[in-house]
Amino acid sequence: MKDQKSTLPNSFYNNLDQEHYLPVFKRFPIAICCGSGSRVRDADGKEYIDALAGIAVNNVGHCHPKVVAAIREQAGKLMHISNFFVSEPQVKLSKRLTALADMSRVFFTNSGAESVEGAIKLARKYAHSKGRGGTIISFHGSFHGRTMATIATGKRKMQEGFDPIPHGFKQVPFNDFEAVKNAVDNDTAAILIEPIQGEGGINPADLSFLKDLRKLCDEENIALIFDEIQCGMGRTGHFFAKDLYGVQPDIMTLAKGLGAGVPIGAILSNEMISAAIDFGDHGTTFGGNPLVCAAALACLDVIEDENLLEAASEKGEWFKREVLNLNDPHIREIRGEGLMLGIDFNFEAKPIVLDMLENGVIANATAGSVVRIVPPLNITYEDLEHILKTLKNSILKVKAHAEA
């Protein structure tokens, strides 16, 4: 990364962006031009420690040499063939992921939202085969994507202006089993849940809650869907959060960290669900092409070869202890597992994130008062210490400014 730089400043790219891109993102006025490991550099030459990792995508860091090499090699062989044919990378990835997840089948997609859309289809097809309806139960504080079906599972605010919203969805309070039981009826096809809510503020499900959901789904013959798009792929210190909890879903969705930065998602399902699917029930043009599957295979290799599950667990515990040791009265709680952490403040978190950015650390404010920390799993302790120091200084600065 030392020799890589842009010949044009941040302002040039930001002006072009504002002129041509659909204005759906409130972007920071920074154009990232290169990255390596847990660090990135902008067009002005300023370096940042990335505690956001592309929103929990770059689990093995930016431009990991093994992932870059795999992409380059595969790009020189074959990039896309359509799913009328099989390819070596896709077959290998299918076998590896189903074994890791203890699932029977996998379908590859291009994104997290597409994975959830596909999971809904699988659950409804199974439910209809058993004479049930197609209603999907999700939870307050959840986030499953921004397509029409996935916004129907989430916050009301994200549905505004997009009526008519698809029918067949219910929402109940998170970690409230009685509310779930009261919502289930013969029209229920599935319960859709993030084992640890991401956009909702890094909210872990209670172990007893997930176990009760599993039992209820077995009793009622409905599908339990785990959305592991953010909490999967090693982020919690386990390959999947389901393994952290010891609760096996019927369907699981993946994306984000699966491809180390290339767009790939996955839907995994057990044999019970998979047996309900017929030829032509689902499909994709780009999903699981040779290029992205080669990248995902390399990503899995890195996670295993570099013991990143253990690293995520140990570094996450260290970071939580250090945050608690700050003894800051403005911190209400630090939540999460592994390197999927949320620091909940008693005031709005965005000013802290902006000050951290100014001082060379990329983080994220979510759910109003939460600073989300989801760095690469191979981040160094040195960089974690710098994040912690910057966080501490930003808290002091923001509160001093507010009290002035």
Side-chain angles (χ1 to χ4, degrees):
M1 192 173 74
K2 289 181 179 179
D3 298 327
Q4 296 176 334
K5 61 181 180 179
S6 173
T7 57
L8 296 166
N10 285 330
S11 58
F12 174 81
Y13 298 108
N14 285 313
N15 289 339
L16 280 180
D17 173 72
Q18 291 175 20
E19 184 178 350
H20 298 288
Y21 199 88
L22 194 68
V24 293
F25 301 115
K26 290 184 178 179
R27 300 191 201 263
F28 297 117
I30 293 169
I32 304 297
C33 65
C34 57
S36 178
S38 57
R39 300 197 174 208
V40 295
R41 182 177 295 150
D42 70 15
D44 290 346
K46 183 176 178 178
E47 189 168 282
Y48 304 82
I49 295 174
D50 189 0
L52 185 59
I55 316 180
V57 168
N58 301 106
N59 286 12
V60 299
H62 294 274
C63 300
H64 192 288
K66 289 185 179 178
V67 177
V68 172
I71 291 171
R72 284 175 173 163
E73 181 181 357
Q74 188 60 48
K77 290 180 181 178
L78 185 68
M79 288 190 282
H80 181 78
I81 53 172
S82 91
N83 282 298
F84 285 131
F85 308 95
V86 297
S87 72
E88 179 183 354
Q90 189 187 93
V91 169
K92 286 182 174 179
L93 184 59
S94 298
K95 181 180 179 181
R96 196 158 171 188
L97 269 186
T98 52
L100 279 171
D102 192 23
M103 291 285 197
S104 298
R105 302 281 177 172
V106 65
F107 181 91
F108 293 115
T109 69
N110 306 285
S111 69
E114 187 185 338
S115 295
V116 175
E117 287 261 4
I120 291 169
K121 285 183 68 177
L122 265 62
R124 284 179 168 171
K125 185 69 188 292
Y126 173 75
H128 295 334
S129 76
K130 301 300 179 183
R132 300 187 68 93
T135 298
I136 308 297
I137 296 174
S138 60
F139 296 90
H140 297 167
S142 68
F143 178 83
H144 300 288
R146 293 181 183 271
T147 60
M148 289 304 295
T150 53
I151 65 171
T153 69
K155 298 176 183 178
R156 293 279 185 265
K157 184 178 180 181
M158 291 186 180
Q159 300 173 10
E160 292 174 1
F162 300 109
D163 292 328
I165 301 299
H167 298 293
F169 298 91
K170 292 181 181 178
Q171 272 202 313
V172 297
F174 191 61
N175 277 329
D176 186 338
F177 184 63
E178 288 302 314
V180 178
K181 281 202 304 183
N182 292 334
V184 169
D185 56 29
N186 195 54
D187 283 330
T188 305
I191 296 171
L192 169 63
I193 186 170
E194 300 162 89
I196 302 177
Q197 291 184 334
E199 294 292 324
I202 313 297
N203 303 309
D206 296 335
L207 174 58
S208 60
F209 181 60
L210 291 184
K211 286 185 173 181
D212 286 343
L213 291 183
R214 177 68 277 172
K215 184 179 178 182
L216 177 64
C217 288
D218 290 339
E219 291 171 349
E220 297 290 338
N221 198 19
I222 58 181
L224 179 60
I225 306 172
F226 277 7
D227 178 343
E228 296 224 18
I229 289 160
Q230 188 165 157
C231 62
M233 294 307 297
R235 184 139 295 278
T236 65
H238 294 73
F239 251 113
F240 310 110
K242 73 178 184 67
D243 301 324
L244 169 70
Y245 285 98
V247 177
Q248 183 76 359
D250 300 301
I251 305 171
M252 182 170 69
T253 62
L254 300 173
K256 288 190 180 288
L258 178 58
V262 301
I264 179 173
I267 312 162
L268 290 131
S269 54
N270 61 22
E271 189 56 37
M272 177 185 78
I273 300 295
S274 304
I277 303 304
D278 295 322
F279 291 112
D281 278 347
H282 201 48
T284 176
T285 296
F286 292 107
N289 73 31
L291 186 68
V292 297
C293 287
L297 283 166
C299 180
L300 291 174
D301 285 342
V302 172
I303 291 173
E304 292 181 343
D305 295 347
E306 297 185 8
N307 299 314
L308 294 188
L309 301 182
E310 182 180 349
S313 181
E314 291 178 354
K315 290 171 183 176
E317 287 302 312
W318 177 89
F319 195 85
K320 283 198 281 188
R321 284 196 306 270
E322 293 299 312
V323 169
L324 291 174
N325 287 339
L326 294 176
N327 291 315
D328 192 296
H330 305 296
I331 296 176
R332 290 189 289 211
E333 184 182 15
I334 178 167
R335 300 186 292 266
E337 297 288 341
L339 285 172
M340 184 177 180
L341 302 172
I343 306 165
D344 191 4
F345 290 87
N346 60 9
F347 57 86
E348 190 77 13
K350 188 173 182 180
I352 293 177
V353 168
L354 291 173
D355 191 74
M356 290 176 71
L357 184 67
E358 186 177 331
N359 288 281
V361 173
I362 298 172
N364 169 248
T366 189
S369 61
V370 178
V371 171
R372 176 166 44 178
I373 303 292
V374 285
L377 308 185
N378 51 5
I379 189 171
T380 64
Y381 277 102
E382 179 185 359
D383 280 356
L384 284 173
E385 288 171 351
H386 189 82
I387 292 168
L388 191 72
K389 181 180 178 181
T390 305
L391 173 68
K392 180 180 178 180
N393 291 337
S394 293
I395 296 170
L396 293 173
K397 183 176 178 181
V398 168
K399 292 311 297 179
H401 178 76
E403 294 167 1

